[in-house]
């Protein structure tokens, strides 16, 4: 089927999970992989494998609402045959070989709020960036929809900010 003359091509379908509880690590994994492969239960199982003898698991929230650490993300990726490569932000972004990267998972400071009230606290939040059909997207689970960053220069500008 061909498009009508002058019609704009439809934008690519970009998988994007929205924030629920403290599951930003799970959402970041699924968003960077562009499909729902992980759940809270799967992340909890990884936590148990990482610390089988712990009464209070050091890899997640004490409340059981998520807040998973980097070890859970790395183990999840390793289980798929993928590797997480650390990036030292003191290195120039020009050295980041984006064409060789499936996606990026960032741990960023995030403001804390209760409804409309913003508190003077900061927590850490996992965010995914990924290229889909030549366009890089910010797939932060706190966003209503994916945010197009553009090409490699757009990603580098986002990372620099």
């Amino acid at each position: 089927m061909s498009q009508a003359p002058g019609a704009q091509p439809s934008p690519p379908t970009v998988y994007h999970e929205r924030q629920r509880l403290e599951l930003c690590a799970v959402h970041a994994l699924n968003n960077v992989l562009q499909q729902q492969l992980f759940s809270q239960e799967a992340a909890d199982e990884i936590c148990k494998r990482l610390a089988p003898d712990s009464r209070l698991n050091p890899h997640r929230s004490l409340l059981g609402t998520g807040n998973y650490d980097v070890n859970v993300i790395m183990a999840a990726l390793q289980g798929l045959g993928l590797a997480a490569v650390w990036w030292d932000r003191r290195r120039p972004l020009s050295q980041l070989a984006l064409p060789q990267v499936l996606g990026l998972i960032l741990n960023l400071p995030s403001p804390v709020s209760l409804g409309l009230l913003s508190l003077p606290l900061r927590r850490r939040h996992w965010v995914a960036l990924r290229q889909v059909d030549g366009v890089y997207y910010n797939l932060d689970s706190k966003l209503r929809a994916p945010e197009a960053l553009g090409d490699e220069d757009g990603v580098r500008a986002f990372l620099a900010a």
Side-chain angles (χ1 to χ4, degrees), residues 7-78:
Q8 296 291 326
S10 61
T13 301
V14 179
Y15 182 83
H16 178 248
E17 289 183 4
R18 299 276 315 273
Q19 185 72 26
R20 189 174 67 81
L21 299 173
E22 293 181 297
L23 300 178
C24 59
V26 172
H27 301 313
L29 282 164
N30 290 335
N31 287 341
V32 83
L33 297 167
Q34 284 295 281
Q35 59 183 309
Q36 184 181 1
L37 291 176
F38 294 98
S39 63
Q40 182 175 7
E41 294 76 22
D44 286 341
E45 282 301 314
I46 292 170
C47 288
K48 289 176 190 170
R49 283 199 318 264
L50 292 172
D53 299 325
S54 295
R55 290 188 77 173
L56 298 175
N57 196 294
H59 302 290
R60 67 176 177 203
S61 165
L62 296 174
L63 302 175
T65 55
N67 199 22
Y68 302 103
D69 71 11
V70 68
N71 298 296
V72 175
I73 289 175
M74 293 180 72
L77 292 171
Q78 287 171 349

Side-chain angles (χ1 to χ4, degrees), residues 78-141:
Q78 287 171 349
L80 296 174
L82 300 170
V85 178
W86 288 91
W87 180 263
D88 185 336
R89 71 181 194 164
R90 295 172 292 189
R91 291 174 58 190
L93 288 172
S94 60
Q95 293 179 359
L96 183 59
L98 286 170
Q100 299 164 6
V101 174
L102 174 68
L104 299 118
I105 297 178
L106 314 171
N107 192 243
L108 304 174
S110 179
V112 176
S113 62
L114 294 172
L116 298 175
L117 178 64
S118 184
L119 302 176
L121 303 170
R122 290 227 181 263
R123 296 191 67 195
R124 304 302 291 184
H125 177 64
W126 295 107
V127 174
L129 306 180
R130 168 78 190 252
Q131 182 192 80
V132 177
D133 290 342
V135 177
Y136 285 89
Y137 291 90
N138 175 357
L139 300 170
D140 183 346
S141 58

